[in-house]
């Protein structure tokens, strides 16, 4: 089968022939239909997120089940599925605490580049070939843990469903689970890419107002407004992102701010633009060696909540069908998220357009 391999950081992806084993007892093989192009993969390509290489990237995918292992129940060949990049184990401390987003086993497979139990199902003629986030869906087929496939209604187009594997669930969950935004709350969102647009549309669905979208690419203004932003700040025109938010919130700052880029300056700005006792939610993934600088006195005196959100703090088996139901009933917009489709052979072009900020979401279609 064909797959996009990252051999080393700061290199282009190589579309190569690779081999795939049959699924193990608790694994599922999936014929991919579509895979979204997420900035997290780009972080890996830049060397900003350490994962074992060479690996097949891609973590935002949907497809059709081909084979299931002998101990898999409830998933059958032919099922349409979305992949989850947190295949939570269900029995670690965090899963039992109701926080599968923090699952220890899922973190371990992210670091080891394997499937649970150190299983390696990918092979090529150049030595080891690692899995990525338990998904590796920039490939015609993949093998994933059974906990990482979520069956969906087969009438939903798979190129739209794929985005619910990461961008939509991450943005939606940051608003609905992490921040719990309410009607009339003011929200600012720094970064209007595939994930940020979903923060905006979930905030709109939750009844937030105003919703202040901020992006350094002025082309994102129309998109942000289409997804529910009430105001847009062009960050290429100012270094001061805080004053425009204060101006739109009676000088207080917004109730919630979401950072959806992964840069230290914008994380600091998100904390700065939140009102006293408001909440800043960091969604963007910064390189692990970077630190941010925040005023120490402000912690007690302003009592802001600063938190992160990983995969939208979601329970994928519950949230992915929930989000797709909202799409089917016309409440969430997935159609305008898929702004560009590419063949697997054109995957480097898809990443080039991601970094230029010209797309809402690019999708590889198989
Ligand atoms: P994207 O490339 O589609 O969007 C990023 C947006 O940020 C673009 O619109 C840029 O124009 C804009 N931008 C970049 N730099 C600046 C700046 N200095 N000031 C203002 N705007 C700027 O990325 P994405 O939406 O796929 O991902 C965004 C981040 O979220 C990225 O760090 C990714 O790794 C992270 C992410 N986190 C999770 C999670 O679980 N927390 C999941 C998925 C992605
Ligand atoms: Zn992602």
């Amino acid at each position: 089968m064909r797959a996009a391999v990252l051999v080393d950081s700061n290199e282009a992806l190589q579309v190569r022939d690779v081999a795939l084993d049959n699924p193990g007892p608790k694994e599922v093989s999936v014929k991919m239909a579509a895979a979204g192009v997420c900035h997290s993969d780009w972080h890996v390509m830049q060397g900003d997120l350490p994962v074992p290489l060479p690996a097949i990237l891609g973590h935002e995918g949907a497809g059709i089940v081909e084979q299931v292992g002998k101990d898999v129940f409830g998933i059958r060949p032919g099922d349409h599925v979305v992949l989850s990049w947190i295949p939570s184990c269900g029995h670690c401390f965090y899963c039992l605490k109701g926080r599968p987003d923090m699952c220890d086993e899922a973190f371990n497979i992210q670091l080891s580049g394997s499937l649970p139990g150190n299983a390696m199902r990918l092979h090529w003629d150049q030595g080891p070939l690692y899995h990525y986030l338990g998904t590796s869906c920039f490939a015609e087929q993949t093998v994933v843990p059974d906990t990482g496939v979520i069956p969906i209604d087969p009438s939903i187009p798979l190129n739209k469903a794929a985005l619910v594997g990461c961008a939509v669930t991450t943005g939606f969950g940051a608003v609905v689970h992490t921040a719990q935004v309410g009607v009339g709350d003011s929200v600012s969102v720094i970064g209007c890419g595939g994930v940020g647009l979903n923060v905006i549309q979930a905030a709109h669905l939750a009844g937030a107002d105003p919703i202040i979208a901020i992006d350094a690419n002025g082309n994102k203004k129309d998109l942000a407004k289409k997804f529910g932003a009430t105001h847009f700040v062009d960050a290429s025109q100012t270094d001061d992102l805080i004053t425009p938010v204060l101006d739109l919130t009676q000088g207080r700052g917004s109730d919630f701010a979401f950072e959806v880029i992964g840069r230290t300056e914008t994380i600091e700005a998100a904390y700065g633009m939140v009102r006293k006792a408001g909440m800043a939610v960091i969604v963007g993934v910064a390189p692990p060696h970077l630190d941010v600088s925040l005023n120490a006195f402000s912690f007690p005196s302003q009592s802001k909540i600063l938190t992160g959100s990983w995969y939208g703090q979601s329970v994928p088996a519950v949230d992915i069908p929930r989000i797709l139901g909202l799409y089917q009933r016309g409440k969430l917009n997935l159609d305008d998220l898929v702004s560009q489709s590419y063949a697997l052979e054109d995957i480097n072009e898809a990443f080039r357009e991601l970094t230029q900020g010209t797309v809402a979401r690019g999708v590889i279609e198989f």
Side-chain angles (χ1 to χ4, degrees):
M1 63 145 182
R2 303 287 283 167
V5 181
L6 181 65
V7 177
D8 208 348
S9 53
N10 294 302
E11 288 183 5
L13 295 169
Q14 299 182 23
V15 179
R16 301 283 291 268
D17 284 317
V18 305
L20 184 67
D21 292 340
N22 287 332
K26 293 278 287 166
E27 296 165 4
V28 173
S29 70
V30 178
K31 184 174 167 41
M32 295 313 303
V37 175
C38 177
H39 211 108
S40 297
D41 296 304
W42 180 250
H43 289 316
V44 174
M45 292 169 69
Q46 296 289 97
D48 286 340
L49 281 183
V51 302
L53 298 176
I56 297 177
L57 299 190
H59 64 277
E60 182 178 275
I64 300 176
V65 173
E66 288 192 312
Q67 286 183 58
V68 300
K70 69 178 179 54
D71 296 335
V72 174
F73 301 101
I75 301 163
R76 285 173 297 274
D79 282 355
H80 288 214
V81 294
V82 169
L83 305 186
S84 157
W85 57 265
I86 300 192
S88 47
C89 69
H91 49 71
C92 73
F93 173 86
Y94 294 102
C95 285
L96 294 173
K97 272 281 200 189
R99 287 296 301 266
D101 55 316
M102 294 287 110
C103 171
D104 283 330
E105 184 169 293
F107 273 86
N108 285 341
I109 69 165
Q110 289 173 12
L111 293 175
S112 65
S114 66
L115 298 182
N118 294 318
M120 301 282 284
R121 305 294 178 212
L122 298 163
H123 308 279
W124 69 340
D125 52 9
Q126 318 265 313
L129 181 56
Y130 291 97
H131 296 259
Y132 168 63
L133 302 187
T135 47
S136 288
C137 58
F138 289 152
E140 291 171 331
Q141 289 150 290
T142 190
V143 167
V144 298
D146 63 348
T147 47
V149 291
I150 316 297
I152 63 165
D153 181 338
S155 68
I156 299 170
L158 287 166
N159 63 339
K160 315 281 167 60
L163 304 193
V164 184
C166 183
V168 187
T169 300
T170 299
F172 178 90
V175 170
V176 171
H177 295 305
T178 308
Q180 301 182 13
V181 169
V183 176
D185 288 339
S186 53
V187 165
S188 37
V189 183
I190 317 177
C192 306
V195 182
L197 290 172
N198 283 293
V199 172
I200 292 170
Q201 73 165 330
H204 177 66
L205 198 56
D209 184 78
I211 300 172
I212 307 159
I214 304 168
D215 201 288
N217 187 328
N219 294 330
K220 291 290 168 90
K221 180 176 179 178
D222 291 344
L223 262 178
K225 293 213 160 168
K226 183 180 267 178
F227 283 87
T230 56
H231 301 79
F232 182 82
V233 177
D234 185 343
S236 71
Q237 304 300 312
T238 175
D239 288 334
D240 174 12
L241 303 183
I242 296 175
T243 301
V245 174
L246 297 180
D247 289 346
L248 291 164
T249 55
Q250 294 82 44
R252 281 197 298 270
S254 52
D255 297 317
F256 297 95
F258 296 84
E259 199 277 358
V260 204
I261 303 170
R263 298 174 63 93
T264 54
E265 317 85 88
T266 41
I267 291 170
E268 290 162 5
Y271 181 77
M273 66 179 61
V274 160
R275 66 159 165 80
K276 287 186 281 187
M279 183 188 283
V281 181
I282 312 308
V283 179
V285 176
H289 63 278
L290 296 183
D291 295 320
V292 294
S293 173
L294 299 170
N295 179 263
F297 178 67
S298 74
F299 292 126
S301 64
Q302 300 187 0
S303 294
K304 298 181 182 185
I305 299 166
L306 174 63
T307 187
S309 187
W310 195 235
Y311 209 1
Q313 214 173 309
S314 62
V315 179
V318 174
D319 286 304
I320 288 175
R322 173 185 184 184
I323 288 168
L324 288 170
L326 290 168
Y327 166 64
Q328 287 178 302
R329 292 186 292 280
K331 304 214 161 171
L332 269 183
N333 181 356
L334 303 184
D335 297 331
D336 291 315
L337 279 179
V338 181
S339 55
Q340 190 69 41
S341 299
Y342 309 85
L344 182 63
E345 310 292 329
D346 297 326
I347 192 159
N348 291 301
E349 172 67 7
F351 277 101
R352 196 178 63 76
E353 292 186 359
L354 173 84
T355 57
Q356 287 178 339
T358 50
V359 290
R361 199 53 143 195
V363 179
I364 309 298
E365 296 197 22
F366 296 90

